[in-house]
Amino acid sequence: MNALVTTQTAMLGWLLHGDSDIAACVDGDAVPHRLRIYADAYRLRLLEVLGNDFPVSKSVLGDAAFDETALDYLRAHPSTRPSARYVGHAFAGWLAQQRNVPRRLCELAHFEWLHGESFDAAEAPRLSIDTLSVLPADAWPTLRLQRHPAARLLTMTSNAADVAQAHASDAPLPVLSDAATSHLLLWRHQGEVCWRRLEADEADALNAIKTGESFAWLCEQLNDPPGNGALRAVSLLKRWLTDGLLIAP
């Protein structure tokens, strides 16, 4: 191991774990104080990143409580990638493992992370009505639709999405509370992340698309009441095309 790698490894040990080996590589006086500047700056930068990724959770908890929680998370999940974009990837799951954290706060953090994922997701050519209009009739039963990479589905038992919506609108935040189970869809449209609640059958259908089920299968599953399957499938398809939820094959 060359000298540069040795120094970099020692510096990483100091930043992440407080290991003092790096002190031997530093010349001059006040070494602990000078090293502390780097450690504090690194920690504060990651707290800033988490605060930007989870602004609603921070508003609900308050600055001090959020920073304390975020520091505990960083101790359990130190950053492992060059980009700070991914430092909060396990935050919602980690919150769910803490005994004193209510489920509704975990759902809020999960919603915020999926919001960021949807915004950052890769672009792909959108499927259009014109493309489907020339599809032969005998091709429809075996047609397999594909969801856009920015689409995200989740199930919630709280009003976390409404709290996030109020925060985005600079409106007073409602109290984060439990609510009836709901299915939510997040997607990106014209550069902005949108979300809406889904009926259970639409949520099932969008999940089925991801697993590669055919259009005939969708019609069969949506056939409640009997005889309504094709009409319901076409209605949902029109909505998905309008929202830009599907990509061209």
Side-chain angles (χ1 to χ4, degrees):
M1 185 179 296
N2 62 44
L4 177 58
V5 174
T6 299
T7 302
Q8 291 175 331
T9 301
M11 188 64 178
L12 183 64
W14 163 251
L15 293 175
L16 296 181
H17 311 296
D19 298 341
S20 59
D21 294 349
I22 186 62
C25 304
V26 182
D27 295 330
D29 300 326
V31 171
H33 173 71
R34 290 156 56 200
L35 286 173
R36 176 53 56 189
I37 292 174
Y38 285 96
D40 289 347
Y42 177 74
R43 184 182 71 254
L44 291 172
R45 172 58 180 148
L46 292 185
L47 287 177
E48 180 185 7
V49 169
L50 289 173
N52 290 335
D53 286 342
F54 303 97
V56 192
S57 298
K58 185 172 183 176
S59 293
V60 169
L61 283 173
D63 291 352
F66 179 84
D67 286 352
E68 181 179 354
T69 301
L71 283 175
D72 288 342
Y73 165 73
L74 290 171
R75 294 185 189 101
H77 293 275
S79 180
T80 58
R81 302 178 66 170
S83 174
R85 168 66 185 92
Y86 306 100
V87 70
H89 76 281
F91 186 59
W94 176 82
L95 283 176
Q97 297 172 353
Q98 310 309 303
R99 289 182 298 177
N100 60 335
V101 176
R103 178 180 175 83
R104 52 187 177 271
L105 182 61
C106 306
E107 290 189 348
L108 175 58
H110 185 49
F111 179 89
E112 291 190 273
W113 184 255
L114 292 187
H115 188 284
E117 282 191 342
S118 182
F119 183 81
D120 289 343
E123 191 50 270
R126 314 273 175 153
L127 183 62
S128 68
I129 294 179
D130 291 339
T131 299
L132 291 179
S133 67
V134 298
L135 193 68
D138 60 359
W140 277 91
T142 57
L143 174 66
R144 283 174 169 77
L145 302 169
Q146 298 179 60
R147 273 176 23 191
H148 192 278
R152 297 290 186 276
L153 293 172
L154 70 159
T155 300
M156 307 187 79
T157 58
S158 70
N159 67 338
D162 297 316
V163 175
Q165 184 67 38
H167 186 274
S169 304
D170 291 326
L173 297 189
V175 175
L176 182 61
S177 58
D178 295 333
T181 299
S182 60
H183 307 283
L184 276 71
L185 166 71
L186 295 92
W187 78 101
R188 190 178 65 234
H189 182 66
Q190 297 181 345
E192 297 291 335
V193 177
C194 311
W195 72 271
R196 62 180 174 88
R197 289 185 171 86
L198 306 174
E199 297 293 335
D201 64 344
E202 183 178 7
D204 290 341
L206 285 169
N207 277 317
I209 288 174
K210 188 174 183 180
T211 59
E213 299 293 350
S214 67
F215 191 74
W217 186 93
L218 291 179
C219 293
E220 181 179 350
Q221 295 303 307
L222 294 167
N223 195 33
D224 185 16
N228 191 54
L231 181 62
R232 176 61 170 160
V234 170
S235 175
L236 291 177
L237 179 58
K238 182 179 179 181
R239 176 69 185 269
W240 297 341
L241 291 171
T242 302
D243 288 342
L245 287 174
L246 303 175
I247 62 174

